[in-house]
Amino acid sequence: MGNASTLHVGLDVHKESIAVAYATEDGATAPVPLGAIGTRQCDIDALVRKLQSKSPRLVFVYEAGPCGYWLYRYLTRKGLTCFVVAPSLIPRKPGDRVKTDTRDAVTLARLARSGDLTPVYVPAVPDEALRDLARAREDALHDLNAARFRLKALLLRNDVRYVGRANWGAEHRRWLARFVFPTPAQQIVFQEYVRTVTERTELLQRLEAELLEQAKTWRLSPVVEALQALRGVQFTVAITTIAELGDLTRFDTPRQLMSYLRPSVDRSGQGLSSSGQGLRADPSPPGASARGHS
């Protein structure tokens, strides 16, 4: 074949392999599957050289997923065009439930050629690092609450009741340290549960301290401080929100920001209701502009 003006390259990215297919600008030509390659940088470089022999302009596209943005960043550092797309917004034919790596790569190449894919916002490395830290803090809080629940459930099953004012305060912790179950087996479980709560509490405190320290030099720190001016918005809420949203300038309108948050609209006139998906659950902002990839 002669050199095409542009090759749209679909990549189905996995932990150990990447399925590849490409489509030329000619819409009458079916995408061409190339099989699978490895995920090492030398494998990526070999693929780029092979494709550049067919066309000087390459446009890569792959789905956002658990493998993150390393491939996007590697390709863009090499001066190549790459987009990460939202899996939830990839058009699917009704009844098309057959899913293989090759078919996914072919579909991405075809849809990239037709312009039917929605790119997601790719955060800068420092922004993603802050988001990872904020999410680690959120995970620690979830683990702490789960550990507390298990401990309280053990006490409740045995009709052990704390009559103090507030749970998990200094007096409550002293009461837990003094309490002894009547059987050795239960005491072992009780002590392990108490130890887990203590460890999870200390982990949460360490992560919150690190989050506060790292936020001081973060480029979006002024936005975090401004958000705390709102009534009831404390530091952890503000930094978690901004860490998940990223650069707010990527939203051209408030409507685009709300589309990212994905509230559901009740058409009967009952207003907005939560979709149950938090900021963290949705990696695919419908309203994000393409400049997030520049």
Side-chain angles (χ1 to χ4, degrees):
M1 61 176 287
N3 282 355
S5 58
T6 300
L7 288 186
H8 299 274
V9 187
L11 305 174
D12 192 49
V13 182
H14 298 279
K15 179 181 178 182
E16 302 294 343
S17 66
I18 302 174
V20 184
Y22 70 86
T24 65
E25 285 291 320
D26 182 7
T29 304
V32 179
L34 290 182
I37 65 171
T39 57
R40 299 173 301 174
Q41 291 184 3
C42 61
D43 299 321
I44 308 300
D45 292 341
L47 173 66
V48 170
R49 289 193 298 269
K50 180 178 181 179
L51 293 173
Q52 284 180 332
S53 68
K54 302 177 183 296
S55 172
R57 173 168 166 75
L58 307 176
V59 177
F60 292 88
V61 60
Y62 69 95
E63 294 183 20
C67 292
Y69 303 118
W70 70 267
L71 182 55
Y72 165 86
R73 292 179 177 129
Y74 183 70
L75 291 172
T76 53
R77 281 199 302 270
K78 295 174 69 68
L80 299 167
T81 302
C82 182
F83 296 100
V84 185
V85 301
S88 60
L89 298 179
I90 295 177
R92 305 287 184 186
K93 293 181 180 179
D96 185 7
R97 299 178 182 176
V98 179
K99 182 176 175 62
T100 66
D101 296 348
T102 300
R103 287 187 58 144
D104 287 347
V106 167
T107 298
L108 287 171
R110 185 181 69 252
L111 294 175
R113 177 175 61 187
S114 61
D116 291 325
L117 294 175
T118 301
V120 301
Y121 166 73
V122 178
V125 173
D127 296 349
E128 187 175 23
L130 237 297
R131 187 178 68 182
D132 286 340
L133 185 55
R135 288 181 176 182
R137 180 257 170 200
E138 183 182 348
D139 290 338
L141 178 60
H142 180 272
D143 292 342
L144 173 59
N145 288 335
R148 287 174 170 178
F149 177 82
R150 286 191 294 268
L151 176 57
K152 292 175 69 175
L154 173 66
L155 296 174
L156 182 61
R157 288 196 303 271
N158 292 275
D159 195 30
V160 178
R161 303 174 186 274
Y162 172 65
V163 296
R165 290 186 176 182
N167 288 333
W168 315 118
E171 181 58 34
H172 186 211
R173 293 195 299 270
R174 286 192 290 269
W175 176 81
L176 290 172
R178 294 192 302 266
F179 182 81
V180 178
F181 269 90
T183 66
Q186 287 176 314
Q187 183 63 19
I188 291 172
V189 175
F190 173 67
Q191 289 177 336
E192 291 299 330
Y193 281 2
V194 171
R195 182 178 293 110
T196 300
V197 170
T198 301
E199 292 172 351
R200 296 293 184 269
T201 301
E202 293 173 350
L203 173 61
L204 179 62
Q205 292 171 346
R206 290 197 302 272
L207 289 173
E208 288 182 342
E210 290 295 341
L211 194 58
L212 182 62
E213 183 64 26
Q214 294 295 322
K216 295 178 181 178
T217 56
W218 189 30
R219 69 183 185 92
L220 296 179
S221 179
V223 184
V224 175
E225 293 180 3
L227 195 58
Q228 292 178 73
L230 298 175
R231 184 174 183 179
V233 178
Q234 298 179 346
F235 170 75
T236 53
V237 174
I239 195 165
T240 299
T241 300
I242 300 304
E244 291 294 338
L245 290 175
D247 189 350
L248 296 180
T249 61
R250 65 192 177 97
F251 300 104
D252 294 327
T253 65
R255 184 180 296 275
Q256 288 186 351
L257 174 59
M258 293 305 295
S259 295
Y260 178 78
L261 299 177
R262 296 182 68 182
S264 59
V265 179
D266 187 340
R267 298 299 182 184
S268 65
Q270 298 301 315
L272 297 177
S273 61
S274 173
S275 64
Q277 297 192 18
L279 293 174
R280 184 172 177 174
D282 183 12
S284 54
S289 63
R291 68 169 176 265
H293 298 274
S294 59

